Amino acid sequence: MRIIRLDENSKQNILSDLLKRDPNNYSQYAHTVEAIVEDVKENKDKALFAYTEKFDGALITGDTVRVAKEEIQEAMEQMDPALLEVMKRSMKNIRAYHEKQRRQSWFDSKPDGTILGQKITPLESAGVYVPGGKAAYPSSVLMNIIPAEVAGVQRIVMVTPPGKDGKVNPVTLTAAHLAGATEVYKAGGAQAVAALAFGTESIPRVDKIVGPGNIFVALAKKAVYGHVSIDSIAGPSEILVIADDSANPRFVAADLLSQAEHDELASAILVTTSMDLAEKVSREIDGFVKDLSRKEILEKSLENYGYILVADTLDQAVETANEIASEHLEIVTRNPFEVMTKIRNAGAIFIGEYSSEPLGDYFAGPNHVLPTNGTAKFFSPLGVDDFIKKSSIIYYSREALKEIHKDVEAFAEAEGLTAHANSVRVRFEEEE
């Protein structure tokens, strides 16, 4: 793994390199995606089923597109009992964490006759996209559905591509059932996103679409934004580790590879104040890669976006981490909690050598749907807030309005909006 002395020039080059991974740069696919979205919007089920046959090789009809109770039961019977228990323990942690995010409506009543407040209302419906095919991602199912369920969303719809046999992966289906999905449909790709956004004869539309997917899914979510809400346009996975000479090089190497194995565009970066640690981590990575199952992906990922940066000071390392704003940030230093207080931009922060990133992916409880590509500077992890709406509450008695009505009228007239001013003035015209 390449080792680079960190300076302003090398930092800017790396930042520029990482931005190439942004899904918004893949405009060559946009026309294809927009055509699929428009086709499903116009032709509904007919287009949806045609694309499912074309891309997934499955013959789906209006009678089979929704997963039946019998299919859920069959899937649960195929589950490894040990894995089922692990999933249940993971769910318990995820639900407990997200329940602490719940907000309550509030009202502030004052003696002058005013009541101000905020009313919290869950979304009526949410759509969850889950990748399919041969792979199963039950952790993503749990992380996307449970916050919606905790928020109080009544209709939680999951879509996922079927196999050629027209069935949904049993692990994925079991996770959806346990987490609280109210409906599951056999549809994937841009066509499934369009179906959720606009509705078809078989799939009623939803208010918000969340969940990861390939570039076609990401661009489809971008295309339907405004018709529905979305969580984000997710980019490739990434990890950044801040470490000093106290860090265990073998642990650090293993954690970097835990994200590099996702795909060839994944980013794994170590920023350290120790050249000795940098060299040891590089050697440990070489040793691990030879024995890991996704060797080719790991090698390509590290070649494309893997860096070991050697900083002069810990403050320089922190500054670099804040500029990169990584999805996952590990702090493995002598005083990791002190370093944590200086971090402004990160999706999830893992503190200490035993808080490895996969804890966040599978089990600890915080959500693993995180901002990528530097968007941690202004976005947050998926959570309960993503599935609620806030309405402002305003009440003024006649006495309260009388006290300030001339102020409101003056403001409105200053903006040239005389009808606004009149709306208040008319309530007191008999007194003037």
Side-chain angles (χ1 to χ4, degrees):
M1 195 168 170
R2 79 197 98 179
I3 300 174
I4 300 172
R5 275 282 179 190
L6 181 60
D7 56 28
E8 191 60 32
N9 187 52
S10 62
K11 180 173 66 176
Q12 292 305 319
N13 287 339
I14 290 167
L15 287 169
S16 176
D17 203 29
L18 293 175
L19 286 174
K20 296 175 185 176
R21 303 155 60 249
D22 190 331
N24 290 310
N25 292 332
Y26 292 85
S27 57
Q28 67 267 36
Y29 302 117
H31 180 71
T32 300
V33 168
E34 288 167 7
I36 292 172
V37 168
E38 284 301 313
D39 193 7
V40 174
K41 181 180 178 181
E42 181 70 24
N43 296 300
K44 303 186 183 300
D45 273 354
K46 180 182 177 182
L48 178 66
F49 300 153
Y51 288 121
T52 302
E53 182 178 4
K54 178 179 179 180
F55 296 128
D56 301 310
L59 291 171
I60 300 296
T61 68
D63 294 326
T64 61
V65 66
R66 181 170 177 173
V67 171
K69 291 180 180 179
E70 294 77 15
E71 293 176 278
I72 296 172
Q73 185 62 40
E74 180 186 353
M76 293 191 71
E77 290 171 357
Q78 295 178 49
M79 280 290 293
D80 175 358
L83 177 58
L84 186 61
E85 288 307 309
V86 169
M87 283 172 54
K88 287 180 178 179
R89 291 196 292 272
S90 173
M91 282 177 55
K92 183 179 178 181
N93 293 341
I94 296 167
R95 181 166 281 110
Y97 182 87
H98 287 84
E99 282 176 347
K100 293 185 182 297
Q101 297 179 349
R102 275 186 177 144
R103 294 186 186 229
Q104 302 297 324
S105 299
W106 60 267
F107 300 90
D108 182 18
S109 178
K110 296 183 178 180
D112 65 0
T114 63
I115 299 175
L116 303 178
Q118 188 175 76
K119 184 176 183 293
I120 303 296
T121 308
L123 301 182
E124 292 182 15
S125 59
V128 175
Y129 186 93
V130 175
K134 295 180 180 179
Y137 300 97
S139 61
S140 286
V141 176
L142 303 183
M143 292 290 184
N144 282 277
I145 291 177
I146 289 175
E149 189 263 339
V150 170
V153 178
Q154 293 298 302
R155 196 173 151 253
I156 304 173
V157 181
M158 189 181 90
V159 293
T160 189
K164 291 183 179 179
D165 59 358
K167 294 185 177 182
V168 173
N169 184 291
V171 177
T172 300
L173 195 50
T174 298
H177 175 67
L178 293 176
T182 57
E183 303 159 39
V184 180
Y185 294 96
K186 304 168 187 176
Q191 61 272 21
V193 173
L196 289 174
F198 301 109
T200 73
E201 294 89 346
S202 300
I203 305 178
R205 70 178 299 279
V206 298
D207 297 320
K208 183 163 189 169
I209 301 172
V210 302
N214 60 21
I215 188 62
F216 295 97
V217 171
L219 291 175
K221 286 167 71 176
K222 183 179 178 181
V224 301
Y225 177 63
H227 298 281
V228 292
S229 178
I230 63 171
D231 51 350
S232 65
I233 309 294
S237 189
E238 53 201 32
I239 185 171
L240 188 148
V241 179
I242 297 176
D244 59 19
D245 60 0
S246 69
N248 183 316
R250 191 166 176 81
F251 293 176
V252 172
D255 291 356
L256 290 169
L257 293 174
S258 74
Q259 293 308 292
E261 77 169 341
H262 272 292
D263 63 60
E264 295 175 358
L265 295 176
S267 167
I269 299 173
L270 166 63
V271 188
T272 179
T273 52
S274 168
M275 179 61 80
D276 181 56
L277 179 74
E279 292 170 348
K280 288 178 179 177
V281 169
S282 183
R283 288 195 294 271
E284 290 286 356
I285 284 174
D286 291 342
F288 277 131
V289 168
K290 285 188 284 188
D291 298 325
L292 291 169
S293 62
R294 296 169 73 89
K295 178 183 176 182
E296 290 184 9
I297 291 174
L298 286 166
E299 289 176 338
K300 199 70 176 175
S301 170
L302 295 175
E303 178 187 338
N304 290 336
Y305 301 108
Y307 301 94
I308 297 176
L309 307 177
V310 181
D312 292 331
T313 66
L314 199 53
D315 282 344
Q316 185 188 24
V318 169
E319 179 188 350
T320 300
N322 280 325
E323 290 202 44
I324 292 174
S326 186
E327 177 188 18
H328 306 97
L329 173 67
E330 290 190 2
I331 303 173
V332 193
T333 61
R334 284 185 178 80
N335 299 301
F337 283 94
E338 180 184 344
V339 174
M340 180 270 293
T341 64
K342 300 176 182 178
I343 298 299
R344 300 187 308 276
N345 305 320
I349 303 172
F350 300 79
I351 300 173
E353 67 178 1
Y354 291 102
S355 304
S356 61
E357 188 281 335
L359 272 173
D361 276 351
Y362 299 113
F363 204 78
N367 210 288
H368 78 196
V369 180
L370 303 167
T372 56
N373 277 100
T375 60
K377 292 179 179 179
F378 45 82
F379 281 149
S380 304
L382 189 74
V384 171
D385 275 0
D386 287 283
F387 298 98
I388 63 171
K389 300 177 297 179
K390 304 163 198 169
S391 301
S392 302
I393 301 296
I394 301 167
Y395 167 81
Y396 269 61
S397 66
R398 188 179 192 283
E399 292 73 19
L401 182 60
K402 185 176 180 180
E403 284 293 314
I404 54 87
H405 77 95
K406 291 189 181 297
D407 291 342
V408 179
E409 293 164 24
F411 225 141
E413 286 168 354
E415 294 187 348
L417 299 174
T418 55
H420 280 62
N422 187 60
S423 173
V424 176
R425 185 183 297 113
V426 72
R427 286 163 165 79
F428 302 97
E429 60 188 354
E430 293 179 1
E431 300 178 18
E432 295 179 354

